[in-house]
């Protein structure tokens, strides 16, 4: 079962709201990722967790706050977002700590609209 | 970070082979070459990866040039379901880019019936 599950699939939030995106995998993977994808653009890496510790933060604004409660779960907490943050947010996982030969498995994504 | 260059778009007919090129002239000796594809309204999907030797799997083949400065993804018989954006990506074994999978612009593949 090579599946990364993301919820919700669609989210509309106001600029003053606080919401969270959730991601789950049961493949025993020890690395998890958040990517952001704008329309007709490639995915951009935001965060990497390795063995439940944040290992890469691509200078993402603090209004995005990642959390990895355990090796199967990854959250992205959203607060005071701007309309330009509207995008597809992709979660991914890989078997072990990020490295060259890893295969990364992506979820279907959460479509976020900020109004 | 080493970069990749791909054509913006390519077209193919159904049941014909497709050769998707990728240039990576600044590749380092420890960089793996990955290919992912993204179908409309879906997350990216792993296709294949390799280091130096050519690789085959049930989805595709990866041909890597001897100097590793270019590679080609080969779909042996294109189907309509292969219409997607194909990304050629390098991942690095060390340095500040360790663990990153940085997507380039990709190639939009259109498959005609």
């Amino acid at each position: 079962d090579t599946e990364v599950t993301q919820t919700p699939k669609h989210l509309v939030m106001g600029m003053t709201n606080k919401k969270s995106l959730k991601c789950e995998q049961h493949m025993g993977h020890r690395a998890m990722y958040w990517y952001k994808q704008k329309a007709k653009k490639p995915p951009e890496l935001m965060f990497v967790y390795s063995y439940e510790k944040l290992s890469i933060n691509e200078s993402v604004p603090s209004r995005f706050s990642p959390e990895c409660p355990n090796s199967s779960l990854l959250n992205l907490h959203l607060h005071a977002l701007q309309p330009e943050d509207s995008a597809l947010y992709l979660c991914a996982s890989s078997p072990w700590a990020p490295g060259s030969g890893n295969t990364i498995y992506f979820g279907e994504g959460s479509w976020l609209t900020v109004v | 970070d080493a970069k990749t260059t791909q054509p913006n778009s390519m077209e193919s007919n159904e049941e014909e082979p497709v050769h998707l090129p990728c240039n990576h002239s600044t590749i380092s000796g420890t960089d793996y070459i990955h290919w992912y594809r993204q179908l409309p309204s879906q997350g990216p999907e792993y296709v294949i990866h390799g280091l130096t030797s050519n690789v085959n799997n049930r989805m595709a083949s990866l041909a890597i040039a001897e100097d590793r400065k270019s590679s080609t993804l080969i779909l042996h018989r294109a189907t309509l379901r292969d219409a997607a954006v194909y990304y050629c990506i390098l991942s690095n074994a060390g340095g500040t880019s360790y663990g990153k999978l940085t997507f380039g612009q990709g190639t939009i593949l259109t498959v005609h019936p």
Side-chain angles (χ1 to χ4, degrees), chain A residues 33 35 37 41-43 45 56 58 88 90 97-104 106-108 111, chain B residues 30-32 34 36 38 41-44 46 49 87 91-93 98-101 103-105:
Chain A
Y33 310 76
Y35 280 81
Q37 186 173 26
K41 296 290 187 184
L45 182 65
I56 295 177
E58 289 287 86
L88 177 67
L90 293 160
S100 290
N102 266 317
T103 295
I104 296 182
F106 285 83
E108 300 274 324
W111 292 92
Chain B
T30 53
D31 282 339
Y32 276 76
H34 299 256
Y36 282 74
Q38 188 170 21
S41 300
Q42 293 190 23
Y46 168 79
H49 78 282
Y87 295 101
S91 69
N92 194 283
Y98 178 67
K100 293 184 183 181
L101 206 64
F103 287 75
Q105 294 303 310

Side-chain angles (χ1 to χ4, degrees), chain A residues 3-72:
Chain A
E3 191 171 283
V4 176
T5 304
Q6 292 187 241
T7 56
K9 292 201 183 316
H10 297 272
L11 176 64
V12 179
M13 62 183 290
M15 289 188 283
T16 58
N17 290 160
K18 286 185 182 180
K19 297 285 185 184
S20 297
L21 304 179
K22 298 185 185 302
C23 176
E24 193 168 2
Q25 57 86 14
H26 295 289
M27 297 178 278
H29 289 178
R30 303 314 301 267
M32 297 188 76
Y33 310 76
W34 281 114
Y35 280 81
K36 173 183 176 180
Q37 186 173 26
K38 301 283 279 184
K40 299 191 185 301
K41 296 290 187 184
E44 296 176 1
L45 182 65
M46 299 175 72
F47 302 104
V48 181
Y49 272 83
S50 177
Y51 296 91
E52 301 161 48
K53 288 186 171 26
L54 183 65
S55 61
I56 295 177
N57 177 341
E58 289 287 86
S59 302
V60 178
S62 60
R63 58 184 183 269
F64 296 92
S65 175
E67 178 196 20
C68 189
N70 60 56
S71 60
S72 300

Side-chain angles (χ1 to χ4, degrees), chain A residues 75-87:
Chain A
N75 298 321
L76 186 63
H77 302 299
L78 313 170
H79 174 54
L81 295 193
Q82 303 296 311
E84 57 265 30
D85 296 321
S86 298

Side-chain angles (χ1 to χ4, degrees), chain B residues 17-76:
Chain B
V18 181
H19 291 236
L20 296 165
C22 181
N23 287 321
H24 29 78
S25 57
T26 59
I27 192 170
S28 73
T30 53
D31 282 339
Y32 276 76
I33 302 160
H34 299 256
W35 284 83
Y36 282 74
R37 71 180 185 181
Q38 188 170 21
L39 280 65
S41 300
Q42 293 190 23
E45 173 187 30
Y46 168 79
V47 178
I48 201 166
H49 78 282
L51 184 61
T52 56
S53 304
N54 294 344
V55 184
N56 300 298
N57 66 22
R58 63 176 181 80
M59 289 181 70
S61 295
L62 175 60
I64 301 173
E66 201 168 322
D67 64 5
R68 301 207 329 123
K69 293 184 186 300
S70 65
S71 61
T72 302
L73 178 70
I74 302 164
L75 306 179
H76 295 286

